[in-house]
Structure formats: C-alpha cells, structure tokens
Amino acid sequence: MASGDSFSITTPIFYVNDAPHIGHAYTEVAADVLARWNRQSGRDTWSLTGTDEHGQKILRTAVANGVTPKEWADKLVAEAWVPLLQTIDIANDDFIRTTEQRHESVVQAFLQKLYDAGLIYDGEYEGYYCVGCEEYKQQSDLVDGTGEFAGQLVCPIHGRPVEVLKEKNYFFRMSQFQQRLLDLYEAQPDFIQPDSVRNEIVSFVRRGLDDLSISRQSFDWGVRVPWDDSHVVYVWFDALLNYISALGYDPEAADGLFERFWPSNHIVGKDIARFHAVIWPAMLMAAELPVPRRVFAHGWLLVGGEKMSKSKLTGIAPAQITDVFGSDAFRYYFLRAISFGQDGSFSWEDLSARYQAELANGFGNLASRVIAMTAKYCDGVVPESGPVTEAELAVQATVRDALRDASAAMERFAIHEAIAAVWRIVEHLNGYLTEQEPWKVAKDEAQADRLRTILSTALEGLRALAVLLSPVLPKAAQKLWTALGVEGALGALGEQSIPTAAQWGQLPAGTRTVALEPLFPRIEQEPVA
C-alpha cells in the first residue's frame, strides 16, 4: 500500500449528460491545488479525474439527441470535459472514462470476487428512483412537488419527480458492514470531513443500512454482470470503482500504481458524500481492500441563493470567467472567497472586486513595482543586502509563519486558510514598502546600503511568494519566478520542495532580473452574466 511519502487525490468522475459548469470546475481546481502543493512539497503525487458514462440518465440524454450513448459520451468528453482541464489549468496525472476496457474489466473482476464470497444475491426491489441521482430514494428523502409537479414526490436535489421502479436485481450485502463502518468513523475521525458532513453520515449509518441493489434489467447501457449478462451493473457501483481501476488494480496481483498510491483522498460534492463514505468503503471492506484515506465533501456553489444547475439556467460555463479574468483568477477566487467545505455564493461583482483589489492591486502591483525598482536603482541585478533592522526581521518572520500555517492548513484540506496565510506576505510586503519608501531612500547616496537592504528583502519575499502561490496561481507564479531570474521551472523544484524553497535567503545577490509583464492585466471588457 501507499507509503507516508506518497499522496494521491481524486475528483468525482462527472456525468457526461451535459457540459461542465463552474461547480464542476470548482471541484477540479480544489483537487489540483492540493495535488500541486503536495507534488511541490516533495511527495510522490498522483491525481485523477474523469467521466462517468453509463446509466439511465446518459442513455436518455443520448436518445433525446438522436445518437448512441457511446457517441454522446465521446462527443462530450472530446468537446467539453477534456478541454475544461486546459481552461482552468489542471495538471492531472490520469483521466479515466468508465467506458474504457481497463475500467470495465476491473468492475467485472471486482463484482465476481464479491459474488464468489457470497456477498451478492438476487431478489426483487420496488422503490422511488431518481434518474438524476441514479439512486433509489426513501420516501423520507423526498419532498412534495409544487407548480407543474404538484401532487408528486420530488427529489430535493434535482427538483424533478421520482419514478416508481420494480425489477429483479442483484443485491450487495451492505448491511453486514454497518458496524465496521461505524468502527471506521470512530477510529479515524478525519475519514469524513468536514465535521458537519461526518455527523450526517454517522447518523445515517446508525439508523441502519439496507442491502444495496447493484444491477438493473430495465435498460442495457452499462457494464454487464459477469455471471448474468441480462443485467448491467448499477451505475454508482460501477463508477466508484474508477478510483482503483485507474490505478490498474488487479484482484489477483495488485501492484504498480495501486501499491504506490492506494488509498487515495477523495474530493466530492456534499450531495454525493454518502456514496463515497458509506457504499464505497463497504465495497472495499467486502473485497478486503484498504478504505480511502479521506473523503472530503465540499459545499455547493450558489447562484442567486440556489445550487448551481443547468436546468434552472444558473449554470455558468468556466470559460465565461476565464475568457475575461484568466485561469489564475478563476482558481484564486473560488478557493479564497469560499471556505472549503462550506456552501459559497458566486457573484460577478465579488469576482471583479477581488480581481482588482487582491490580485491586480495587491499581488500584481507589488511584484511589478519591486521588479521595476530593481531595474531602475540596481540595473536589474539582485543587490547584496546591507544591515537588517527590525523591519526586515518582521518580514522574514511573516514568511516563516505563513509557510508553517499554510502547510498545516493544506494538510487539513483547508485551502482557503492556506491562501489567507500566504496572502499575509503580500499585505506585509506592501506595507513594508509603504513604510520604508525606497523611492525616497534612493535619492540619498548616503543610504545606498539601506536601499539595497530594502530591495533585497522585497525580492526575497517575492521569491517566497512565487513558491507558495504556485499551486494556486501557476501562471502568475511562473512569470514572477522567471522575472526574478531564478533558474528552472517552478512546478518542478526537485530537491527544492516547498518547505525548503520557501525558506528565507535563497535568492543570490547578483542574480539578474528581467522585465515583468502585468500578472493581472486591467480588464477592458465587462463579463457577460
């Protein structure tokens, strides 16, 4: 199994019934920032994303568009889901599709293993089924419809009526794992995070678990049950296995990537936390495999007070934001403005205000004026520092504390706290320059040593910022890194991992800086809502 020096993280695999909106992109960026941070911290790191392409919802969408399910999936993956990764600058290591043979073969082998162990049986099931969730619902999970759906039971997540289905299914003996799950939650308190979701899951499992219907006969778009090809595997049972099929899991000889990176950390939306924190670990326990390292359920993105939804016309395409503000601003905004793990509201006004105040005026202006003053007063060469004062020692302390606090926050997946910790350096350096007034000091030749100390301190602070902000602002951080004259690519620090590269005093005097293009240019057009 994975060593303590490795780190693997996954997003959910996303349904291809429609193009992605910023809610999907939010999940992608969060996982990517955590992967980049750990990779640059010197840990053996692997990140996975992908698409979920089976199930009734995909079949119906494809039929409605006059194509086969596979043709629909191929089109959406090629034209929407893979391009999304470039739009928001995701550096994933793998992209899994549930229609790939490498995945389907694992699903069948895993299912056969549980069947042979007596953990699967056949029976009949009748219940309320939400096609949007691809899940049977208890009546207590549903709400009374209003308006056009008055008199019907409605899924509160998708806002549409459920269907009553009755069919012969195969069932997984999930109820046998209730106590083992409760023992897991007790022994590993951070297995489910945040605590609000953990408490909900623990309460749900304590009320008692039913066995899980894991096959369907009413449609044929899915992985065939290996011992009965008249059934296809329930889409969630199929989809959850992507996390190990992508690692090349083989029940007869697990090695390679699986041994190197499993168990993984899962980043999911809170509406699918039960699947990942109840069904998935029960499946793994049944197969005598380690459970995930952590399931972190983030909140919803709200627009106008409602959960992001294409059907309600609140779905915003990521490119609507990146085409105006750029991918770095997208990444920064959603992970700084929203406490990771809680719901958060999006507005164009807040995005625009933060872009201008925090990115353009705060960080971008700081970087540009320090590089410009170095060119003007030191011919573009990093100066040798003169004697330091309490002011310089305070800057060094801020960098040291920011590294400590950001590292601790990233370990907890508190990405918003980590960014806030690093941003203290931005604020301190801006205040430091305002107080020290190097543009005035430069007019007095007797204070030449003092000028060199001020600029040396500011440049070293920028170098630390480039390291610490690289996982969040990869494009801007690399531009700053290049302008500072540091050799090598920032995302491949080698021995210079974040904990060492962010420490003070590593920008050698004599290093030649180069002109810095604006990190966050002035917005010349208004975004289109």
Side-chain angles (χ1 to χ4, degrees):
M1 293 298 99
S3 72
D5 293 331
S6 69
F7 177 84
S8 61
I9 193 163
T10 73
T11 71
I13 51 172
F14 300 105
Y15 279 127
V16 293
N17 61 307
D18 207 339
H21 55 58
I22 59 174
H24 304 109
Y26 174 51
T27 311
E28 291 277 11
V29 167
D32 185 64
V33 167
L34 290 165
R36 286 177 185 262
W37 180 276
N38 279 274
R39 189 177 294 116
Q40 290 179 210
S41 293
R43 300 177 76 179
D44 190 18
T45 298
W46 185 83
S47 63
L48 172 70
T49 190
T51 46
D52 184 358
E53 303 175 16
H54 290 136
Q56 194 170 16
K57 181 162 55 175
I58 305 303
L59 175 62
R60 290 184 179 182
T61 302
V63 170
N65 284 273
V67 295
T68 68
K70 186 62 165 61
E71 288 172 335
W72 177 259
D74 288 347
K75 174 181 174 62
L76 264 290
V77 169
E79 296 180 3
W81 289 96
V82 169
L84 169 68
L85 305 180
Q86 183 175 0
T87 297
I88 53 177
D89 205 2
I90 303 299
N92 56 300
D93 294 289
D94 198 358
F95 187 98
I96 186 77
R97 298 180 59 183
T98 56
T99 51
E100 294 179 75
Q101 180 58 37
R102 62 169 174 156
H103 173 74
E104 293 191 357
S105 62
V106 168
V107 173
Q108 291 190 314
F110 187 96
L111 199 64
Q112 188 69 54
K113 182 176 182 177
L114 268 56
Y115 183 75
D116 293 343
L119 291 168
I120 293 176
Y121 64 93
D122 63 352
E124 281 198 349
Y125 191 88
E126 180 175 9
Y128 299 107
Y129 193 77
C130 172
V131 175
C133 293
E134 294 281 12
E135 179 187 17
Y136 278 108
K137 299 284 188 178
Q138 297 297 319
Q139 186 166 348
S140 59
D141 294 329
L142 305 174
V143 297
D144 293 328
T146 59
E148 64 176 310
F149 302 132
Q152 302 180 67
L153 290 174
V154 171
C155 170
I157 295 174
H158 290 90
R160 301 192 66 81
V162 292
E163 302 175 11
V164 178
L165 297 183
K166 182 178 180 180
E167 59 182 347
K168 177 184 176 183
N169 297 150
Y170 286 98
F171 290 79
F172 166 49
R173 299 185 189 275
M174 191 168 68
S175 60
Q176 292 187 11
F177 297 91
Q178 177 179 339
Q179 190 56 50
R180 286 185 63 181
L181 287 169
L182 291 173
D183 292 344
L184 167 66
Y185 306 152
E186 179 70 22
Q188 197 173 326
D190 67 346
F191 174 72
I192 309 169
Q193 289 292 308
D195 287 342
S196 58
V197 176
R198 179 183 185 277
N199 294 338
E200 187 273 327
I201 295 294
V202 171
S203 177
F204 172 77
V205 175
R206 281 179 178 160
R207 291 198 297 269
L209 291 180
D210 295 325
D211 290 343
L212 178 69
S213 169
I214 61 165
S215 74
R216 300 288 183 268
Q217 271 191 311
S218 55
F219 59 92
D220 62 359
W221 178 237
V223 180
R224 296 288 178 178
V225 171
W227 62 87
D228 185 348
D229 64 6
S230 68
H231 288 249
V232 294
V233 180
Y234 170 45
V235 65
W236 270 105
F237 200 94
D238 159 10
L240 287 164
L241 286 162
N242 90 91
Y243 301 124
I244 61 174
S245 67
L247 289 169
Y249 167 71
D250 180 344
E252 300 301 322
D255 56 12
L257 287 177
F258 183 79
E259 285 294 315
R260 185 172 155 198
F261 290 118
W262 186 258
S264 292
N265 298 275
H266 300 321
I267 301 293
V268 302
K270 67 179 182 180
D271 50 333
I272 57 173
R274 284 188 190 178
F275 296 99
H276 289 81
V278 180
I279 297 175
W280 179 221
M283 290 167 58
L284 292 165
M285 290 173 178
E288 300 179 337
L289 293 173
V291 299
R293 193 176 300 280
R294 180 183 300 176
V295 176
F296 193 102
H298 66 71
W300 289 337
L301 285 188
L302 307 177
V303 175
E306 293 190 345
K307 181 178 181 285
M308 187 78 56
S309 170
K310 289 280 189 181
S311 62
K312 294 182 180 179
L313 303 180
T314 57
I316 299 169
Q320 289 178 256
I321 294 174
T322 59
D323 286 351
V324 177
F325 296 96
S327 60
D328 274 4
F330 184 104
R331 296 165 66 93
Y332 173 85
Y333 173 75
F334 286 105
L335 295 178
R336 177 75 193 272
I338 299 170
S339 295
F340 195 56
Q342 306 300 316
D343 292 348
S345 295
F346 167 80
S347 76
W348 290 103
E349 294 79 12
D350 187 40
L351 169 60
S352 183
R354 285 180 179 269
Y355 179 91
Q356 189 62 37
E358 298 170 20
L359 292 175
N361 292 343
F363 178 41
N365 187 51
L366 168 68
S368 64
R369 44 179 194 150
V370 171
I371 296 296
M373 285 190 289
T374 303
K376 182 175 182 179
Y377 303 133
C378 302
D379 296 324
V381 175
V382 176
E384 186 79 46
S385 176
V388 299
T389 69
E390 289 297 325
E392 286 71 53
L393 293 176
V395 173
Q396 295 178 29
T398 294
V399 172
R400 181 185 62 246
D401 293 348
L403 169 59
R404 178 199 64 209
D405 295 346
S407 296
M410 285 294 193
E411 284 296 313
R412 303 192 312 274
F413 289 10
I415 306 173
H416 58 292
E417 292 183 19
I419 298 173
V422 175
W423 218 255
R424 296 201 302 261
I425 304 175
V426 175
E427 294 164 349
H428 194 146
L429 285 176
N430 274 315
Y432 172 77
L433 292 176
T434 298
E435 292 173 359
Q436 301 306 315
E437 299 180 312
W439 47 90
K440 289 185 179 179
V441 174
K443 297 177 181 179
D444 185 354
E445 291 185 4
Q447 295 195 71
D449 281 351
R450 184 65 194 147
L451 177 62
R452 287 193 290 270
T453 299
I454 295 169
L455 291 179
S456 174
T457 298
L459 288 162
E460 179 61 23
L462 286 181
R463 191 198 62 79
L465 274 175
V467 172
L468 293 169
L469 288 175
S470 178
V472 181
L473 305 172
K475 286 185 168 62
Q478 183 59 54
K479 290 177 182 177
L480 177 56
W481 191 255
T482 300
L484 289 169
V486 186
E487 295 182 358
L490 185 54
L493 295 171
E495 295 299 319
Q496 284 288 85
S497 62
I498 283 177
T500 56
Q503 291 177 5
W504 194 264
Q506 298 184 56
L507 184 61
T511 300
R512 178 161 292 281
T513 65
V514 297
L516 175 65
E517 61 180 286
L519 298 182
F520 300 97
R522 181 182 180 86
I523 300 299
E524 300 295 343
Q525 66 180 99
E526 290 296 319
V528 178

